[in-house]
Amino acid sequence: MRIMKGILMAILSLTALVSCQKAFDVDSVRFSNEGGTKTITSSSYTLSIHDNNANYGTGSTENGIIHVEKEWLTAELDTNAGVITLTADKNDTGKKRTLYISGMYGDIQSSIPVVQDK
């Protein structure tokens, strides 16, 4: 009985550790109104950009690089290096703007906001 309890605890611990994994190493990304480029680490094998209404950007894949863009944001995921490069255009709208990047880690989809100041 004691061995069974130990095995069960080990399985539960491993399950908890795996479920804490995320597609991105950050919970959000913020750009100033000047725009620019930022890099984040990712364990995702997919990448998309969308707004809060599920309108998705366009994309392409070539040589392990996933390139997607929507409105003011461009993202490139190097699936071999596990790095996403985000590039935001200058914001001269006078309004804060937000898009979301999504990716898959295992069979779990994660999304984080990318916010740009006004």
Side-chain angles (χ1 to χ4, degrees), residues 3-115:
I3 293 173
M4 291 296 284
K5 253 184 170 177
I7 292 171
L8 181 59
M9 290 302 292
I11 291 171
L12 289 174
S13 296
L14 183 59
T15 303
L17 181 63
V18 170
S19 67
C20 292
Q21 298 291 328
K22 300 186 297 185
F24 310 108
D25 70 335
V26 296
D27 293 325
S28 64
V29 178
R30 180 172 226 99
F31 285 96
S32 74
N33 64 340
E34 290 299 313
T37 300
K38 295 191 177 197
T39 303
I40 63 172
T41 303
S42 175
S43 55
S44 178
Y45 54 88
T46 65
L47 182 66
S48 62
I49 301 175
H50 55 93
D51 62 19
N52 208 20
N53 296 315
N55 296 310
Y56 285 81
T58 58
S60 62
T61 303
E62 187 175 331
N63 298 325
I65 306 291
I66 301 172
H67 177 92
V68 291
E69 52 188 63
K70 179 162 178 57
E71 299 167 11
W72 52 272
L73 184 64
T74 302
E76 284 191 350
L77 167 60
D78 182 336
T79 57
N80 297 316
V83 173
I84 297 175
T85 303
L86 298 165
T87 304
D89 295 340
K90 184 176 181 175
N91 183 0
D92 50 11
T93 66
K95 298 177 183 176
K96 180 175 94 170
R97 47 193 188 182
T98 303
L99 289 172
Y100 299 85
I101 59 170
S102 294
M104 294 291 291
Y105 179 79
D107 61 351
I108 299 171
Q109 182 168 351
S110 298
S111 294
I112 62 169
V114 179
V115 178

